[in-house]
Amino acid sequence: MSEQWISKETLELIYEAAHIQRWNDHIRPAQGFTELDKQAHKMIIAYVLAKFEEEERKREVNWIELIEGGILEFFHRVVLTDIKPPIFYKLLEKHRDKLNKWVFDRLKERNAGFVIEKFNKYFNETDDRSLIKRILRAAHYLATNWEFKIIYRLNRDMYGIEETKRRIENELEEYFDLIGVQKISLGRKTSDFIDLVGQLRFQQRWTRTPRIPSTSVLGHMLVVAIISYYCSLKLGTCDKRRYNNFFAGLFHDLPEVLTRDIISPVKTSIEGLEGYIKDIETQEVKERLLPLLPPSWHDEFRYFMEEEFENKIKLNGRTTKIKEISDQFNQDQYSPLDGKLIKACDELAAFMEAYLSQKHGVRSEYLEDATINLPEKYKNKFINGLDFSRIYAFFKEK
């Protein structure tokens, strides 16, 4: 199974979202707000909204449609760059088909894989009133509103700011039937969780070196989740395994909001230090993060975040680590999770961050090490049958 499953062009397109600055006609934080961070925040909020609908309203949520819808909307927005929202929606009202056709053609040029296969059905055939689209749209406005609360404090005297405020509030009101929207609007525990996650927008990766584009921990988490999903499709995984791989990728660095990023040289410099740091992270998650979520979600979050880079399944109700997930365990009932694959995607994302910076003329010892050592690490290395060396080969400098 060595043939390609994600293209160089698709990987580079994902990172174009890190260049797109949001609210760039307003006073905003020094780090700015990027489309990559917004989309990452949106997908975490979508998870929360869908969980509440599933558990408290007993509504059936098609999680694969939710994940793929989120990825499709991500690529759609990246291709259309930073058109101001009011203009964007006016264009969609009158020229939806032409715009969608234009985006579709650009994605074909980038060899975007399953996104091309699912694009027309999602944007042209799926009912905009479906539960999945409503959850994603509500998550979109909640993530936008999170940004706007910061923007509003800095731009109170700017012309048009009150109109923007009313427009966002009016849009959110349309989704108040979703119980998660109600809970977040209360400003209590669920809102605190969304706020805590949002702080990862301001936590930059590679703090020892400048990079172009600069990426946050939150944006990085979405990149890993998307790459993991592409890998899962190539492996022919069951639905639960795809779900686990996507959300484990999306949440894999979440504990860093409590501990900040502790770089690998520090972790490995003293024997036993890495394990001790992991224990601290686990305790912090237990005491400060999990209490913000319903108790019924805690086991799943621990499954995603504890020993996150280990392959594991659920066997007789217990988490069991295994070397490889065979066809025998590639079934929803075992809740398989490819931790080693997520690790490989995590390091591929790190390579991309270093490679793109060098491509833009930014060089440093740390970036050089990543672009040399990571391809060497994955030389002739297969992760569950996927040949990662073929991915790195596409980025060799000519």
Side-chain angles (χ1 to χ4, degrees), residues 267-279:
K267 290 179 182 177
T268 58
S269 61
I270 302 172
E271 186 177 353
L273 184 62
E274 190 168 5
Y276 181 60
I277 291 170
K278 204 67 186 168
D279 290 341

Side-chain angles (χ1 to χ4, degrees), residues 139-160:
H140 162 83
Y141 284 117
L142 285 165
T144 296
N145 192 49
W146 190 91
E147 295 173 332
F148 182 73
K149 287 178 181 177
I150 296 172
I151 296 295
Y152 184 72
R153 288 194 289 269
L154 298 172
N155 295 268
R156 285 180 181 273
D157 297 327
M158 183 174 285
Y159 173 76

